Coordinates of all heavy atoms in Angstrom, one line a residue:
M1 N 84.3 95.0 72.7 CA 84.1 95.7 74.0 C 82.7 95.6 74.5 O 82.5 96.0 75.7 CB 84.5 97.2 73.7 CG 85.6 97.8 74.5 SD 86.5 96.8 75.6 CE 86.6 97.8 77.0
A2 N 81.8 95.1 73.7 CA 80.4 95.0 74.2 C 80.2 94.2 75.4 O 79.4 94.5 76.3 CB 79.5 94.5 73.0
V3 N 81.0 93.1 75.5 CA 80.9 92.2 76.7 C 81.4 93.0 77.9 O 80.8 92.9 79.0 CB 81.8 91.0 76.5 CG1 81.9 90.1 77.7 CG2 81.2 90.1 75.3
M4 N 82.5 93.7 77.8 CA 83.0 94.5 79.0 C 82.0 95.6 79.4 O 81.8 95.8 80.6 CB 84.4 95.1 78.7 CG 85.4 94.0 78.5 SD 85.6 92.8 79.8 CE 86.0 93.7 81.2
D5 N 81.4 96.2 78.4 CA 80.4 97.3 78.7 C 79.2 96.6 79.4 O 78.7 97.2 80.4 CB 79.9 97.9 77.4 CG 81.0 98.8 76.8 OD1 82.0 99.2 77.5 OD2 80.9 99.1 75.6
A6 N 78.8 95.5 79.0 CA 77.6 94.8 79.6 C 78.0 94.4 81.0 O 77.2 94.5 81.9 CB 77.2 93.6 78.8
W7 N 79.2 93.9 81.2 CA 79.6 93.4 82.5 C 79.7 94.7 83.4 O 79.3 94.6 84.6 CB 80.9 92.7 82.4 CG 81.4 92.1 83.7 CD1 80.7 91.7 84.8 CD2 82.8 91.8 84.1 NE1 81.5 91.2 85.8 CE2 82.8 91.2 85.3 CE3 84.0 92.0 83.4 CZ2 83.9 90.8 86.0 CZ3 85.1 91.6 84.0 CH2 85.1 91.0 85.3
S8 N 80.3 95.8 83.0 CA 80.4 97.0 83.8 C 79.0 97.4 84.2 O 78.8 97.8 85.4 CB 81.1 98.1 83.0 OG 82.4 97.8 82.7
D9 N 78.1 97.4 83.3 CA 76.7 97.8 83.6 C 76.1 96.9 84.7 O 75.5 97.4 85.6 CB 75.9 97.8 82.3 CG 74.5 98.4 82.5 OD1 74.4 99.5 83.1 OD2 73.5 97.7 82.2
K10 N 76.3 95.6 84.5 CA 75.7 94.6 85.4 C 76.2 94.8 86.8 O 75.5 94.7 87.8 CB 76.0 93.2 84.9 CG 75.5 92.1 85.9 CD 74.9 91.0 85.1 CE 74.5 89.9 86.1 NZ 73.1 90.0 86.5
V11 N 77.5 95.1 87.0 CA 78.1 95.2 88.3 C 78.1 96.6 88.8 O 78.6 96.9 89.9 CB 79.5 94.6 88.4 CG1 79.5 93.1 88.1 CG2 80.5 95.3 87.5
G12 N 77.5 97.6 88.0 CA 77.3 98.9 88.5 C 78.5 99.8 88.4 O 78.7 100.8 89.2
V13 N 79.4 99.6 87.5 CA 80.6 100.5 87.3 C 80.2 101.5 86.2 O 80.0 101.1 85.0 CB 81.8 99.7 86.8 CG1 83.0 100.6 86.5 CG2 82.2 98.7 87.9
P14 N 80.0 102.7 86.6 CA 79.5 103.7 85.6 C 80.6 104.1 84.6 O 81.8 104.0 84.9 CB 79.1 104.9 86.5 CG 80.0 104.8 87.7 CD 80.2 103.3 87.9
P15 N 80.2 104.6 83.4 CA 81.2 105.1 82.5 C 82.0 106.2 83.1 O 81.5 106.9 83.9 CB 80.3 105.6 81.3 CG 79.0 104.9 81.5 CD 78.8 104.7 82.9
K16 N 83.2 106.3 82.7 CA 84.2 107.3 83.2 C 84.4 107.2 84.8 O 84.6 108.2 85.4 CB 83.7 108.7 82.8 CG 83.6 108.8 81.3 CD 83.3 110.2 80.9 CE 83.0 110.2 79.4 NZ 83.8 111.0 78.6
S17 N 84.3 106.0 85.3 CA 84.6 105.7 86.7 C 86.1 105.7 86.9 O 86.9 105.7 86.0 CB 84.0 104.3 87.0 OG 84.5 103.9 88.2
I18 N 86.5 105.7 88.2 CA 87.9 105.6 88.5 C 88.4 104.1 88.3 O 89.5 103.9 88.2 CB 88.2 106.0 89.9 CG1 87.5 105.1 91.0 CG2 87.9 107.4 90.2 CD1 88.0 105.3 92.4
M19 N 87.4 103.2 88.1 CA 87.7 101.8 87.8 C 87.6 101.6 86.3 O 86.7 102.1 85.6 CB 86.8 100.9 88.5 CG 87.2 99.4 88.2 SD 86.2 98.1 88.8 CE 85.4 98.5 90.1
T20 N 88.6 100.9 85.7 CA 88.6 100.6 84.3 C 88.4 99.1 84.1 O 89.2 98.4 84.6 CB 89.9 101.1 83.6 OG1 90.0 102.5 83.8 CG2 89.8 100.8 82.1
M21 N 87.4 98.7 83.4 CA 87.2 97.3 83.1 C 87.8 97.0 81.8 O 87.6 97.7 80.8 CB 85.7 97.0 83.0 CG 84.8 97.5 84.2 SD 84.9 96.3 85.6 CE 83.8 95.1 85.1
M22 N 88.7 96.0 81.8 CA 89.4 95.7 80.6 C 89.4 94.2 80.3 O 89.4 93.4 81.2 CB 90.9 96.1 80.7 CG 91.0 97.6 81.0 SD 92.7 98.1 81.2 CE 93.2 98.2 79.5
A23 N 89.4 93.9 79.0 CA 89.4 92.5 78.5 C 90.9 92.1 78.3 O 91.7 93.0 78.0 CB 88.6 92.3 77.3
D24 N 91.1 90.8 78.3 CA 92.4 90.3 77.9 C 92.3 89.1 77.0 O 92.6 88.0 77.3 CB 93.1 89.8 79.2 CG 94.6 89.4 79.0 OD1 95.2 89.8 78.0 OD2 95.1 88.6 79.9
P25 N 91.7 89.4 75.8 CA 91.3 88.3 74.9 C 92.5 87.4 74.4 O 92.3 86.2 74.2 CB 90.6 89.0 73.7 CG 91.1 90.4 73.7 CD 91.4 90.7 75.2
G26 N 93.7 88.0 74.3 CA 94.8 87.2 73.9 C 95.6 86.6 75.1 O 96.6 86.0 74.9
C27 N 95.1 86.9 76.3 CA 95.8 86.5 77.5 C 97.2 87.0 77.7 O 98.0 86.4 78.4 CB 95.7 84.9 77.6 SG 94.1 84.3 77.7
A28 N 97.5 88.1 77.1 CA 98.9 88.7 77.2 C 99.1 89.1 78.7 O 100.2 88.8 79.2 CB 99.0 89.9 76.3
L29 N 98.2 89.8 79.3 CA 98.3 90.2 80.7 C 98.3 89.0 81.6 O 99.2 88.9 82.5 CB 97.2 91.2 81.1 CG 97.3 91.7 82.6 CD1 98.6 92.5 82.8 CD2 96.1 92.5 82.9
T30 N 97.4 88.1 81.4 CA 97.3 86.9 82.2 C 98.7 86.2 82.2 O 99.2 85.8 83.3 CB 96.3 85.9 81.6 OG1 95.0 86.6 81.7 CG2 96.2 84.6 82.3
K31 N 99.3 86.0 81.1 CA 100.6 85.3 81.0 C 101.7 86.2 81.6 O 102.6 85.6 82.3 CB 100.9 85.0 79.5 CG 99.9 83.9 79.0 CD 100.2 83.6 77.5 CE 99.2 82.5 77.0 NZ 99.3 82.2 75.6
A32 N 101.7 87.5 81.4 CA 102.7 88.3 81.9 C 102.7 88.3 83.4 O 103.8 88.4 84.0 CB 102.6 89.8 81.4
L33 N 101.5 88.2 84.0 CA 101.4 88.2 85.5 C 101.5 86.8 86.0 O 101.4 86.6 87.2 CB 100.1 88.8 85.9 CG 99.9 90.3 85.7 CD1 98.5 90.8 86.0 CD2 101.0 91.1 86.5
D34 N 101.8 85.8 85.2 CA 101.8 84.4 85.5 C 100.6 83.9 86.2 O 100.6 83.3 87.3 CB 103.1 84.1 86.4 CG 103.4 82.6 86.5 OD1 103.1 81.9 85.6 OD2 104.0 82.2 87.5
L35 N 99.4 84.3 85.7 CA 98.1 83.9 86.3 C 97.3 83.0 85.4 O 96.1 82.9 85.5 CB 97.3 85.2 86.5 CG 97.9 86.1 87.6 CD1 97.2 87.4 87.7 CD2 97.9 85.4 89.0
E36 N 98.0 82.3 84.5 CA 97.3 81.3 83.7 C 96.9 80.1 84.5 O 97.7 79.5 85.2 CB 98.3 80.9 82.5 CG 97.6 80.0 81.5 CD 98.6 79.6 80.4 OE1 99.6 80.3 80.2 OE2 98.2 78.7 79.6
M37 N 95.6 79.8 84.4 CA 95.1 78.6 85.1 C 95.5 77.3 84.4 O 95.2 77.2 83.2 CB 93.6 78.7 85.3 CG 93.0 77.6 86.2 SD 91.2 77.7 86.4 CE 90.9 79.4 86.8
T38 N 96.2 76.5 85.1 CA 96.7 75.2 84.4 C 96.0 74.0 85.0 O 96.2 72.9 84.4 CB 98.2 75.1 84.5 OG1 98.5 75.1 85.9 CG2 98.9 76.2 83.8
D39 N 95.2 74.1 86.0 CA 94.6 72.9 86.6 C 93.7 72.3 85.6 O 92.9 72.9 84.9 CB 93.7 73.4 87.8 CG 93.2 72.2 88.5 OD1 92.1 71.7 88.1 OD2 93.7 71.8 89.6
P40 N 93.8 70.9 85.4 CA 93.0 70.2 84.4 C 91.5 70.3 84.6 O 90.8 70.1 83.6 CB 93.6 68.8 84.4 CG 94.2 68.7 85.8 CD 94.7 70.0 86.2
G41 N 91.1 70.5 85.8 CA 89.6 70.5 86.0 C 88.9 71.7 85.3 O 88.2 71.4 84.3
P42 N 89.2 72.9 85.6 CA 88.6 74.0 84.9 C 89.0 74.1 83.4 O 88.2 74.4 82.6 CB 89.0 75.3 85.7 CG 89.4 74.8 87.0 CD 89.9 73.4 86.8
V43 N 90.3 73.9 83.2 CA 90.7 74.0 81.8 C 90.0 72.9 80.9 O 89.7 73.2 79.8 CB 92.3 73.8 81.7 CG1 92.7 73.7 80.3 CG2 92.9 75.0 82.4
G44 N 89.8 71.7 81.5 CA 89.2 70.6 80.8 C 87.7 71.0 80.4 O 87.2 70.6 79.4
V45 N 87.1 71.7 81.3 CA 85.7 72.1 81.1 C 85.6 73.3 80.2 O 84.7 73.3 79.3 CB 85.0 72.3 82.5 CG1 83.6 72.9 82.3 CG2 84.9 71.1 83.3
L46 N 86.4 74.3 80.5 CA 86.3 75.6 79.8 C 87.1 75.7 78.5 O 86.8 76.5 77.6 CB 86.6 76.7 80.7 CG 85.8 76.8 82.0 CD1 86.4 77.8 83.0 CD2 84.4 77.2 81.7
G47 N 88.2 74.9 78.5 CA 89.1 74.9 77.3 C 89.9 76.2 77.3 O 89.7 77.1 78.1
N48 N 90.8 76.3 76.3 CA 91.6 77.5 76.1 C 92.3 78.0 77.3 O 92.2 77.4 78.4 CB 90.8 78.6 75.5 CG 90.1 78.3 74.2 OD1 90.7 77.6 73.4 ND2 88.9 78.8 73.9
V49 N 93.1 79.0 77.2 CA 93.8 79.6 78.3 C 92.8 80.4 79.2 O 92.0 81.1 78.7 CB 94.9 80.6 77.8 CG1 95.6 81.3 79.0 CG2 95.9 79.8 77.0
R50 N 92.8 80.2 80.5 CA 92.0 80.9 81.4 C 92.8 81.5 82.5 O 93.8 81.1 82.9 CB 91.0 79.9 82.1 CG 90.0 79.2 81.2 CD 89.0 80.2 80.7 NE 88.2 79.6 79.6 CZ 87.3 80.2 79.0 NH1 87.0 81.4 79.2 NH2 86.6 79.5 78.1
S51 N 92.3 82.7 82.9 CA 93.0 83.4 84.0 C 92.5 82.9 85.3 O 91.3 82.6 85.5 CB 92.6 84.9 83.8 OG 93.1 85.6 84.9
K52 N 93.4 83.0 86.3 CA 93.0 82.7 87.7 C 92.1 83.9 88.1 O 92.2 85.0 87.5 CB 94.2 82.6 88.6 CG 95.1 81.4 88.3 CD 96.3 81.4 89.1 CE 97.1 80.2 88.8 NZ 98.4 80.1 89.6
R53 N 91.4 83.8 89.1 CA 90.5 84.9 89.7 C 91.5 85.8 90.5 O 92.1 85.4 91.4 CB 89.5 84.3 90.6 CG 88.5 85.3 91.2 CD 87.6 84.7 92.2 NE 87.0 83.5 91.6 CZ 85.7 83.3 91.3 NH1 84.9 84.3 91.4 NH2 85.2 82.2 90.8
F54 N 91.5 87.0 90.0 CA 92.4 88.0 90.7 C 91.9 89.4 90.6 O 91.1 89.7 89.8 CB 93.8 87.9 90.1 CG 94.0 88.5 88.8 CD1 94.5 89.8 88.7 CD2 93.7 87.9 87.6 CE1 94.7 90.4 87.4 CE2 93.8 88.5 86.3 CZ 94.3 89.8 86.3
A55 N 92.5 90.2 91.5 CA 92.3 91.7 91.4 C 93.7 92.2 91.5 O 94.6 91.7 92.2 CB 91.5 92.2 92.6
A56 N 93.9 93.3 90.8 CA 95.3 93.9 90.7 C 95.1 95.4 90.9 O 94.1 96.0 90.4 CB 96.0 93.6 89.4
V57 N 96.1 96.0 91.5 CA 96.2 97.5 91.6 C 97.4 97.9 90.8 O 98.5 97.4 91.0 CB 96.3 97.9 93.1 CG1 96.5 99.4 93.2 CG2 95.1 97.4 93.9
F58 N 97.1 98.9 89.9 CA 98.2 99.4 89.1 C 98.4 100.9 89.4 O 97.4 101.6 89.6 CB 97.8 99.2 87.6 CG 98.0 97.8 87.1 CD1 97.0 96.9 87.3 CD2 99.2 97.4 86.5 CE1 97.1 95.6 86.8 CE2 99.3 96.1 86.0 CZ 98.3 95.2 86.2
D59 N 99.6 101.3 89.5 CA 99.9 102.7 89.6 C 100.9 103.1 88.6 O 102.0 102.5 88.5 CB 100.5 102.9 91.0 CG 100.8 104.4 91.4 OD1 100.2 105.2 90.6 OD2 101.4 104.7 92.3
D60 N 100.5 104.0 87.7 CA 101.4 104.5 86.6 C 101.9 103.3 85.8 O 103.1 103.3 85.4 CB 102.5 105.3 87.2 CG 103.2 106.2 86.1 OD1 102.5 106.5 85.1 OD2 104.4 106.5 86.3
G61 N 101.0 102.4 85.5 CA 101.3 101.2 84.6 C 102.1 100.1 85.3 O 102.4 99.1 84.6
K62 N 102.3 100.2 86.6 CA 103.1 99.2 87.3 C 102.1 98.5 88.3 O 101.4 99.1 89.0 CB 104.2 99.8 88.1 CG 105.0 98.8 88.8 CD 106.2 99.4 89.6 CE 106.9 98.4 90.4 NZ 107.9 99.0 91.3
C63 N 102.1 97.1 88.3 CA 101.3 96.4 89.2 C 101.9 96.5 90.6 O 103.1 96.0 90.8 CB 101.2 94.9 88.8 SG 100.2 93.9 89.8
T64 N 101.2 97.1 91.5 CA 101.7 97.3 92.8 C 101.2 96.4 93.9 O 101.8 96.1 94.9 CB 101.5 98.8 93.3 OG1 100.1 99.0 93.3 CG2 102.2 99.8 92.4
K65 N 100.0 95.8 93.6 CA 99.4 94.8 94.5 C 98.7 93.8 93.6 O 98.0 94.1 92.6 CB 98.3 95.5 95.4 CG 98.9 96.6 96.3 CD 99.1 96.1 97.7 CE 99.5 97.3 98.5 NZ 99.8 97.0 99.9
L66 N 98.7 92.6 94.0 CA 98.1 91.5 93.3 C 97.4 90.5 94.3 O 98.1 90.1 95.3 CB 99.1 90.7 92.5 CG 98.6 89.6 91.5 CD1 97.7 90.2 90.5 CD2 99.8 88.9 90.8
F67 N 96.2 90.3 94.1 CA 95.4 89.5 95.0 C 94.8 88.3 94.2 O 94.0 88.5 93.3 CB 94.2 90.3 95.6 CG 94.7 91.5 96.3 CD1 94.8 92.7 95.6 CD2 95.1 91.5 97.7 CE1 95.3 93.9 96.3 CE2 95.5 92.6 98.3 CZ 95.6 93.8 97.6
V68 N 95.2 87.1 94.5 CA 94.7 85.9 93.8 C 93.9 85.0 94.6 O 94.3 84.7 95.8 CB 96.0 85.1 93.2 CG1 95.5 83.9 92.4 CG2 96.9 86.0 92.4
S69 N 92.7 84.6 94.1 CA 91.8 83.7 94.9 C 92.0 82.3 94.3 O 91.5 82.0 93.2 CB 90.4 84.1 94.7 OG 90.2 85.3 95.4
E70 N 92.7 81.5 95.0 CA 92.8 80.0 94.6 C 93.3 79.3 95.8 O 93.8 79.9 96.8 CB 93.8 79.9 93.5 CG 95.3 80.2 93.9 CD 96.3 79.9 92.8 OE1 96.1 79.1 91.9 OE2 97.3 80.6 92.8
G71 N 93.1 78.0 95.9 CA 93.5 77.3 97.0 C 93.5 75.8 96.6 O 93.1 75.4 95.6
P72 N 94.0 75.0 97.5 CA 94.1 73.5 97.3 C 92.7 73.0 97.0 O 91.7 73.2 97.7 CB 94.6 72.9 98.6 CG 95.3 74.1 99.3 CD 94.6 75.3 98.9
G73 N 92.5 72.3 95.9 CA 91.2 71.8 95.5 C 90.3 72.8 95.0 O 89.1 72.5 94.6
D74 N 90.7 74.1 94.9 CA 89.9 75.2 94.4 C 90.7 76.1 93.5 O 90.9 77.3 93.8 CB 89.3 76.0 95.6 CG 88.3 77.1 95.3 OD1 87.7 77.0 94.2 OD2 88.1 78.0 96.1
P75 N 91.1 75.6 92.3 CA 92.0 76.4 91.5 C 91.3 77.6 90.9 O 92.0 78.6 90.5 CB 92.3 75.4 90.4 CG 91.2 74.4 90.3 CD 90.7 74.3 91.8
A76 N 90.0 77.7 90.8 CA 89.3 78.8 90.3 C 88.9 79.8 91.3 O 88.4 80.9 91.0 CB 88.1 78.4 89.4
G77 N 89.1 79.5 92.6 CA 88.7 80.4 93.7 C 87.2 80.5 93.9 O 86.7 81.4 94.5
D78 N 86.5 79.5 93.4 CA 85.0 79.5 93.5 C 84.6 79.4 94.9 O 83.6 80.0 95.4 CB 84.4 78.5 92.6 CG 84.5 78.7 91.1 OD1 84.7 79.9 90.8 OD2 84.5 77.8 90.4
D79 N 85.2 78.5 95.7 CA 84.8 78.2 97.1 C 85.2 79.4 98.0 O 84.4 79.6 99.0 CB 85.5 76.9 97.6 CG 85.0 75.7 96.8 OD1 83.8 75.8 96.3 OD2 85.7 74.7 96.8
D80 N 86.3 80.1 97.7 CA 86.7 81.2 98.6 C 87.3 82.3 97.8 O 88.6 82.3 97.6 CB 87.7 80.7 99.7 CG 88.1 81.8 100.6 OD1 87.5 82.9 100.6 OD2 89.1 81.6 101.4
P81 N 86.5 83.1 97.2 CA 87.1 84.2 96.3 C 87.5 85.4 97.2 O 87.9 86.5 96.6 CB 85.9 84.6 95.5 CG 84.7 84.3 96.3 CD 85.1 83.1 97.2
S82 N 87.5 85.3 98.5 CA 87.7 86.5 99.3 C 89.0 87.3 99.1 O 89.0 88.5 99.2 CB 87.7 86.1 100.8 OG 88.7 85.2 101.1
A83 N 90.1 86.6 98.7 CA 91.3 87.3 98.4 C 91.2 88.4 97.4 O 91.8 89.5 97.5 CB 92.4 86.3 98.0
S84 N 90.4 88.1 96.4 CA 90.3 89.1 95.2 C 89.0 90.0 95.3 O 88.8 90.7 94.4 CB 90.3 88.4 93.9 OG 89.3 87.4 93.8
L85 N 88.3 89.9 96.4 CA 87.1 90.7 96.5 C 87.5 92.1 97.0 O 88.5 92.4 97.6 CB 86.1 90.1 97.6 CG 85.5 88.8 97.2 CD1 84.5 88.3 98.3 CD2 84.8 88.9 95.8
V86 N 86.6 93.1 96.6 CA 86.9 94.5 96.8 C 87.2 94.8 98.3 O 88.1 95.6 98.6 CB 85.8 95.4 96.3 CG1 84.5 95.2 97.1 CG2 86.2 96.9 96.3
E87 N 86.5 94.1 99.2 CA 86.8 94.4 100.6 C 88.2 94.1 101.0 O 88.8 94.9 101.8 CB 85.8 93.6 101.5 CG 84.3 94.0 101.4 CD 83.6 93.3 100.2 OE1 84.3 92.5 99.4 OE2 82.5 93.6 99.9
N88 N 88.7 93.0 100.5 CA 90.1 92.7 100.8 C 91.1 93.6 100.2 O 92.1 94.0 100.8 CB 90.4 91.2 100.4 CG 91.8 90.8 100.9 OD1 92.2 90.9 102.0 ND2 92.6 90.4 99.9
V89 N 90.8 94.0 98.9 CA 91.7 94.9 98.2 C 91.8 96.2 98.9 O 92.9 96.7 99.2 CB 91.3 95.1 96.7 CG1 92.1 96.1 96.0 CG2 91.4 93.7 96.0
L90 N 90.6 96.8 99.3 CA 90.6 98.1 99.9 C 91.3 98.0 101.3 O 92.0 99.0 101.7 CB 89.2 98.6 100.1 CG 88.5 99.0 98.8 CD1 87.0 99.3 99.1 CD2 89.2 100.1 98.1
A91 N 91.1 96.9 102.0 CA 91.7 96.8 103.3 C 93.2 96.7 103.2 O 93.9 96.9 104.2 CB 91.2 95.5 104.0
N92 N 93.8 96.4 102.1 CA 95.2 96.2 101.9 C 95.9 97.3 101.1 O 97.0 97.1 100.6 CB 95.5 94.8 101.3 CG 95.3 93.7 102.3 OD1 96.2 93.5 103.2 ND2 94.2 93.1 102.2
L93 N 95.2 98.4 100.9 CA 95.8 99.5 100.2 C 96.6 100.4 101.1 O 96.4 100.5 102.2 CB 94.7 100.3 99.5 CG 94.0 99.7 98.3 CD1 92.9 100.6 97.7 CD2 95.0 99.3 97.2

């Protein structure tokens, strides 16, 4: 959990926030949401199973909104991450 704690601190999410930062080391959630990145570019560089860039809203354990940043020639959403940024998520709640 040290990595998630460090990431939370870096992005300014205080302990006991309404936001919960969670890891998915076995990629169970990634696979359940069908968000496994399969493009050979990023996978070839990073190896292993990787998650697409996404933001999700859960209500009572159910995924109610899913925002994925990816596009043609941009499987990791690096060029245009706007779909999964907080501004877009909040605008679509």
